[in-house]
Amino acid sequence: HTTAAPTLVTPGDGATFQIAPGIPMERQQILLEAQASDAVAELRIMVGGSAVVQLDGPPYRAFWQLRPGEHVAWVEVRDRQGNFSRSPDVRFMVEPAAATPQQIP
């Protein structure tokens, strides 16, 4: 039996990702993975104030489509008694695709 506070395990705080040129955007995603206590009735993984996924049991994971910019993610949990808790914020950065070097004739 775990009584751990909700935690966003992946990505790590301060992580940086880069969009890869030449790969379709819908295939450029990162795994968001959370941990929480056994008493969870509902868990939401949030990025920038929007719920990426809402789950009622483990595994607490979802894939999130990369978007350039600085992002803040966290986990919100409601337990079976109706108590609400929130994980610490995790900040991560998504860099735009690097410009492809021009061939010089």
Side-chain angles (χ1 to χ4, degrees):
H1 178 77
T2 334
T3 54
T7 307
L8 190 61
V9 181
T10 309
D13 193 41
T16 300
F17 302 92
Q18 183 162 23
I19 292 174
I23 297 174
M25 280 307 295
E26 65 272 8
R27 292 183 48 208
Q28 299 200 46
Q29 302 177 343
I30 58 169
L31 175 66
L32 303 174
E33 191 166 14
Q35 287 180 337
S37 78
D38 297 339
V40 168
E42 181 182 288
L43 179 143
R44 286 194 302 263
I45 299 176
M46 310 288 291
V47 176
S50 300
V52 175
V53 67
Q54 181 170 311
L55 303 161
D56 57 9
Y60 301 119
R61 56 174 60 141
F63 286 93
W64 181 76
Q65 176 76 55
L66 289 180
R67 286 198 307 271
E70 199 173 314
H71 303 282
V72 180
W74 65 89
V75 180
E76 294 180 354
V77 168
R78 188 174 49 79
D79 69 17
R80 292 188 187 93
Q81 286 74 43
N83 300 312
F84 178 84
S85 56
R86 177 182 159 150
S87 72
D89 288 351
V90 170
R91 296 176 187 282
F92 64 97
M93 176 67 89
V94 179
E95 304 279 352
T100 49
Q102 298 298 314
Q103 283 297 102
I104 298 169

